[in-house]
Amino acid sequence: MTMIKVLTILTLIFGLLSCDRIKRKTEQVTNNVKTRTKEEIERQTKRVVDTILPTFNHDKPDTENNKERFKDFIKVEITPDVKNIYCFDDAIGIDADYMFSFDCNSSTSNKIIEVNGLELDTVNSDNGFYIQHDFDWWNKEKIAKLAKYSWTNGDRFFKYYWYDKKNGKAYFFEFDL
């Protein structure tokens, strides 16, 4: 046999084996999809959608969406003292802002300050109220009287945080320009 015939036969054998392997893998994937429950598919779909376009429930506290956004943005565990979580996003256009209001104790508030690298801001008197939205749970008059903690990466991304010790109420505002 010539070398060309041997190579041709080997190529055909490997090609057939590869096709069979592809066919088996395709059948395996198809069977996996068929055996998934409707709930599993819905959970996976929700995870994908939440990653691309997360849901914020500004009109109802403590929803699963609000709890997830709290973890995503504020980056601390939701302990039993954290409740009445409201949040809102305005991420349309070239800038974005995110507002959170919730109840918590001083210990949780201190953890939020630490985890987010916030520092007491006695220099910047601009609270960003002009880009914030009006909600019953976001009291700008009350917020203006509280000490502000802030963090920035320069001039494009900002985090502001206020905590009302007397009422155990926290306000978190994140935005970019």
Side-chain angles (χ1 to χ4, degrees):
M1 272 190 168
T2 65
M3 184 62 113
I4 294 176
K5 288 182 182 178
V6 170
L7 287 175
T8 303
I9 292 171
L10 288 174
T11 303
L12 285 172
I13 291 171
F14 286 123
L16 291 172
L17 291 174
S18 293
C19 288
D20 187 52
R21 197 173 101 218
I22 291 170
K23 181 182 174 193
R24 281 192 314 247
K25 189 66 175 172
T26 303
E27 289 171 353
Q28 181 185 8
V29 169
T30 302
N31 287 335
N32 285 344
V33 170
K34 286 180 181 177
T35 58
R36 289 183 12 195
T37 65
K38 181 179 177 183
E39 290 79 20
E40 289 172 322
I41 293 169
E42 288 174 355
R43 272 195 307 273
Q44 185 176 17
T45 302
K46 183 176 178 356
R47 277 194 306 265
V48 170
V49 170
D50 277 350
T51 301
I52 297 169
L53 188 62
T55 302
F56 294 74
N57 300 119
H58 70 278
D59 55 346
K60 186 176 181 185
D62 298 329
T63 64
E64 287 304 313
N65 289 323
N66 288 2
K67 290 176 183 179
E68 286 300 314
R69 301 301 79 80
F70 182 95
K71 291 181 224 172
D72 293 343
F73 283 82
I74 300 181
K75 298 177 174 59
V76 297
E77 181 182 341
I78 297 178
T79 51
D81 62 299
V82 178
K83 53 188 170 238
N84 294 320
I85 302 169
Y86 284 94
C87 62
F88 173 79
D89 77 316
D90 181 0
I92 299 173
I94 60 172
D95 59 355
D97 62 85
Y98 307 91
M99 300 166 56
F100 292 82
S101 171
F102 51 93
D103 299 337
C104 69
N105 63 29
S106 293
S107 175
T108 300
S109 178
N110 290 336
K111 183 169 251 178
I112 291 167
I113 291 167
E114 178 186 335
V115 166
N116 287 279
L118 302 168
E119 295 183 10
L120 187 59
D121 189 341
T122 57
V123 178
N124 179 7
S125 62
D126 179 14
N127 289 320
F129 289 152
Y130 61 95
I131 58 175
Q132 296 170 8
H133 305 270
D134 296 317
F135 296 105
D136 292 339
W137 49 266
W138 191 265
N139 188 333
K140 292 177 187 174
E141 289 179 20
K142 186 178 272 189
I143 293 170
K145 297 174 187 173
L146 300 173
K148 176 176 65 181
Y149 291 80
S150 68
W151 174 90
T152 183
N153 71 343
D155 61 349
R156 306 302 281 151
F157 185 67
F158 305 86
K159 293 181 184 183
Y160 291 171
Y161 177 73
W162 302 267
Y163 183 65
D164 180 351
K165 291 178 186 175
K166 180 180 175 189
N167 296 308
K169 191 72 159 172
Y171 304 90
F172 186 91
F173 181 54
E174 184 174 302
F175 62 102
D176 63 23
L177 297 174

